[in-house]
């Protein structure tokens, strides 16, 4: 994390390399261009339908009612056919919990984030909580009478099923 970061694209057809992200080269055009602090890209996913590389970038929260030290994340897409970065979300809360890295999961019905909790990005670019953390630990945000006090750590998500260390949750049903 405390080392300079670079993300390269290698085009198999043209056999050319392009720098997409660089914390050292201030001329590379990317969303955090000119950033003085080093940056490590934790989360990336390919959205083949949109033809873009997805990643999260942190920015200071500039809304006046919040502390200037608060960070927001934005989902960005690098659209390789256009050679452009575009912001795809509104300001999201930091999507890491207790040192865990988040995962961006691209499904046919949308983009999901797994951070110990499970979120879905809606069409307005805002997060919708599907399985959330509450005061009792990792529990579904829907009533589950069988195990309301159970702690769950969500490990994966695919095709409407959230996998936990000791349970499966069928999100769509």
């Amino acid at each position: 994390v405390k080392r300079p970061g670079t993300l390269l694209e290698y085009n198999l057809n043209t056999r050319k390399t392009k720098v997409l992200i660089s914390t050292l080269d201030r001329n590379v055009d990317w969303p955090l261009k000119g950033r003085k602090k080093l940056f490590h890209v934790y989360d990336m996913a390919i959205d083949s339908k949109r033809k873009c590389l997805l990643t999260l970038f942190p920015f200071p929260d500039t809304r006046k009612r919040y502390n200037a030290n608060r960070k927001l994340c934005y989902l960005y897409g690098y659209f390789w056919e256009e050679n452009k970065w575009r912001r795809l979300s509104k300001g999201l809360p930091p999507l890491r919990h207790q040192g865990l890295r988040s995962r961006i999961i691209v499904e046919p019905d949308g983009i999901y984030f797994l951070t110990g909790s499970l979120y879905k990005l809606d069409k307005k670019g805002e997060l919708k909580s599907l399985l959330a953390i509450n005061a009792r630990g990792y529990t579904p945000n829907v009533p589950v009478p069988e195990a309301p006090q159970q702690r769950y750590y969500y490990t994966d998500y695919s095709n409407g099923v959230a996998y936990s260390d000791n349970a499966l949750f069928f999100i769509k049903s």
Side-chain angles (χ1 to χ4, degrees):
V1 174
K2 297 185 183 204
R3 295 185 181 166
T6 303
L7 177 65
L8 302 174
E9 170 189 65
Y10 179 74
N11 187 315
L12 294 171
N13 294 328
T14 64
R15 297 183 180 187
K16 292 187 179 182
T17 302
K18 179 180 178 184
V19 179
L20 300 181
I21 293 174
S22 177
T23 57
L24 292 177
D25 185 349
R26 304 280 186 240
N27 296 319
V28 175
D29 190 22
W30 65 296
L32 297 178
K33 181 179 179 176
R35 179 184 171 103
K36 292 185 173 132
K37 290 184 180 179
L38 300 178
F39 179 73
H40 182 79
V41 177
Y42 288 96
D43 318 305
M44 289 189 289
I46 295 293
D47 186 341
S48 56
K49 184 177 171 183
R50 293 186 198 194
K51 297 183 180 180
C52 70
L53 170 72
L54 301 173
T55 191
L56 293 167
F57 289 128
F59 287 89
D61 190 346
T62 57
R63 295 175 292 179
K64 291 182 182 180
R65 64 183 178 177
Y66 292 107
N67 183 338
N69 293 329
R70 181 180 157 161
K71 299 275 188 220
L72 290 176
C73 287
Y74 291 91
L75 180 69
Y76 273 81
Y78 175 74
F79 293 82
W80 56 76
E81 289 185 340
E82 303 168 22
N83 292 323
K84 281 188 169 184
W85 287 97
R86 283 200 312 247
R87 191 169 80 185
L88 302 174
S89 75
K90 294 185 178 180
L92 309 173
L95 292 172
R96 285 180 184 56
H97 177 70
Q98 297 177 348
L100 301 173
R101 72 179 202 101
S102 63
R103 284 191 47 223
I104 301 169
I105 302 166
V106 179
E107 292 278 319
D109 67 334
I111 298 170
Y112 294 81
F113 299 94
L114 186 67
T115 65
S117 296
L118 180 66
Y119 302 96
K120 182 177 181 184
L121 194 68
D122 68 15
K123 292 182 182 191
K124 296 178 185 176
E126 297 174 354
L127 281 185
K128 177 183 175 191
S129 175
L130 300 176
L131 294 171
I133 298 169
N134 67 25
R136 289 179 278 186
Y138 301 94
T139 59
N141 64 349
V142 293
V144 180
E146 300 85 38
Q149 300 293 324
Q150 181 69 41
R151 290 181 159 269
Y152 298 105
Y153 171 72
Y154 305 109
T155 57
D156 204 356
Y157 176 80
S158 179
N159 295 318
V161 179
Y163 301 86
S164 170
D165 52 351
N166 57 2
L168 295 175
F169 293 94
F170 297 91
I171 303 301
K172 295 177 183 177
S173 63

